[in-house]
Amino acid sequence: MGSTSTSRPLLCLLCLALLFYSAISELCNPQDKKVLLKIKQAFNNPYILSSWNPKTDCCYWYTVTCDSTSHRINSLSIIAGNPSGQIPPEVGDLPYLTILEFHKLSNVTGHIQPAIVKLTHLNFLRLSWLNLTGPIPDFLSKLKNLTFIDFSFNQLSGSIPPSLSQLPNLDGLHLDHNKLSGPIPSSFGNFPQGLYLFLSHNQLTGSIPSSFAHMDFSYIDLSRNKLEGDASVVFGSNKTTQIVDLSRNLLKFNLSKVVFPKSLPSLDLNHNDIYGGLPVEFTTLNLQYLNVSYNRLCGQIPVGGKLQSFDYSNYFHNRCLCGSPLPSCK
């Protein structure tokens, strides 16, 4: 009897010690935890966030990471789950975020959350394959640490803000598959060299900015818009662009007068109003892909390089283009 009565206080002390130890050993910042639980509630407590239990350390929750030194939340990445509702303003209350990613969440609606402007450490911002509407906000230009923006596959509308070119470290901009209209800002010729630029599948109009003559894009996709006029400014002998896709626009220029990058492996110009002939220079390029179909090109396809290895469908439906792999010239 005596030993039992003695062990009870010891057990109670042990329990208190364990509770105290767990409290002081939790890495997660308590304010960050409160914010995350508000975000979970705003998204209607989805299953993908079921690990977000207030009784556990938020540094070990699914979809978030903590900084190894400060233990502040530095990444929030929710992919392919069932959250619903609008992006809550509380995302702006995670001041140490460097990565914010909501991807393939078709029930997330509303505008791009204005509170994101508070995330001054942010370098990676992906809000893609959601159901966002409204304009691309001007405030993004204030987030000077951004290196990557992806707003693709939404329902965003309005014009592209010229101020995006004020981001000094940006190397990837994905605004494709939206409902954006108006011209490509001329300021986009001031981006850092080597930018990956994706503006395809929108309703952009006007001409390609002449300022692009000074830009050396790594990858540029302007396809499936309503762009007009001359696209030769995209090219140049000293550029190192790897992939150019200008297909399905209203572009009209003389292809035979364009000077192409020596290292260009992929060029898609199909479904435009491009005239002239294929430059002999094409035989010296290490082209892995070429499509000039559905234009107004004429003359013989130069013999050499990779030009005869492409399918005839990559050349057909032109005004009078001829020679292998098309029928021989008369």
Side-chain angles (χ1 to χ4, degrees):
M1 185 75 177
S3 62
T4 308
S5 60
T6 307
S7 61
R8 277 178 184 162
L10 287 170
L11 281 168
C12 288
L13 281 169
L14 185 61
C15 290
L16 284 168
L18 285 168
L19 283 170
F20 178 72
Y21 177 75
S22 64
I24 62 168
S25 65
E26 181 166 327
L27 298 173
C28 174
N29 178 276
Q31 181 58 32
D32 287 353
K33 180 184 262 191
K34 281 182 189 175
V35 170
L36 289 171
L37 291 171
K38 286 180 181 177
I39 292 171
K40 179 183 178 182
Q41 186 177 18
F43 279 146
N44 294 301
N45 300 304
Y47 177 74
I48 195 172
L49 303 183
S50 57
S51 70
W52 291 20
N53 184 333
K55 295 179 181 177
T56 59
D57 190 332
C58 74
C59 284
Y60 299 104
W61 289 356
Y62 183 56
T63 75
V64 300
T65 61
C66 285
D67 180 80
S68 58
T69 305
S70 68
H71 309 304
R72 299 302 297 263
I73 296 293
N74 62 7
S75 171
L76 172 57
S77 183
I78 305 175
I79 298 173
N82 57 338
S84 60
Q86 300 188 11
I87 297 172
E90 283 80 9
V91 296
D93 296 329
L94 295 169
Y96 291 90
L97 274 187
T98 60
I99 296 171
L100 178 60
E101 181 175 28
F102 298 143
H103 177 61
K104 289 196 172 181
L105 311 173
S106 59
N107 293 321
V108 172
T109 59
H111 289 195
I112 294 171
Q113 174 54 244
I116 290 172
V117 74
K118 295 192 282 181
L119 302 175
T120 55
H121 296 285
L122 206 62
N123 57 50
F124 184 100
L125 176 59
R126 170 175 276 153
L127 308 174
S128 59
W129 293 77
L130 312 177
N131 231 323
L132 299 180
T133 53
I136 294 171
D138 203 46
F139 71 71
L140 293 166
S141 62
K142 296 178 181 177
L143 301 176
K144 300 299 185 186
N145 290 310
L146 277 173
T147 62
F148 183 88
I149 296 174
D150 184 358
F151 296 152
S152 63
F153 290 90
N154 280 290
Q155 307 291 324
L156 299 171
S157 58
S159 58
I160 300 172
S163 59
L164 289 178
S165 64
Q166 296 169 19
L167 294 169
N169 301 302
L170 200 69
D171 55 33
L173 180 60
H174 297 245
L175 305 179
D176 51 288
H177 293 83
N178 278 288
K179 296 179 178 177
L180 300 170
S181 57
I184 299 171
S186 61
S187 63
F188 274 27
N190 300 324
F191 272 120
Q193 301 298 323
L195 181 76
Y196 287 73
L197 180 64
F198 295 80
L199 302 180
S200 71
H201 293 78
N202 279 291
Q203 298 161 19
L204 301 174
T205 54
S207 58
I208 294 173
S210 58
S211 58
F212 277 20
H214 312 298
M215 272 299 300
D216 188 8
F217 295 98
S218 288
Y219 191 132
I220 179 169
D221 186 354
L222 308 180
S223 64
R224 292 179 184 267
N225 280 289
K226 299 173 183 175
L227 299 169
E228 302 172 343
D230 190 359
S232 60
V233 290
V234 171
F235 308 102
S237 60
N238 295 323
K239 296 190 179 185
T240 57
T241 308
Q242 294 294 297
I243 298 176
V244 176
D245 190 347
L246 306 177
S247 62
R248 294 180 182 270
N249 277 287
L250 305 169
L251 298 169
K252 186 174 184 178
F253 60 97
N254 187 341
L255 188 65
S256 57
K257 293 188 177 180
V258 177
V259 178
F260 289 89
K262 299 282 190 292
S263 60
L264 183 66
S266 180
L267 176 63
D268 195 343
L269 300 173
N270 81 79
H271 286 83
N272 277 288
D273 199 21
I274 301 166
Y275 58 94
L278 291 184
V280 176
E281 181 190 358
F282 274 9
T283 62
T284 65
L285 302 181
N286 187 28
L287 287 166
Q288 306 301 310
Y289 181 80
L290 174 68
N291 193 334
V292 293
S293 63
Y294 291 92
N295 278 288
R296 294 198 300 119
L297 298 170
C298 258
Q300 182 170 355
I301 297 170
V303 177
K306 300 284 186 70
L307 296 186
Q308 277 63 50
S309 68
F310 301 120
D311 190 77
Y312 81 101
S313 62
N314 293 36
Y315 296 106
F316 71 176
H317 288 278
N318 271 287
R319 187 177 172 192
C320 49
L321 205 57
C322 59
S324 179
L326 292 179
S328 58
C329 301
K330 295 175 181 177

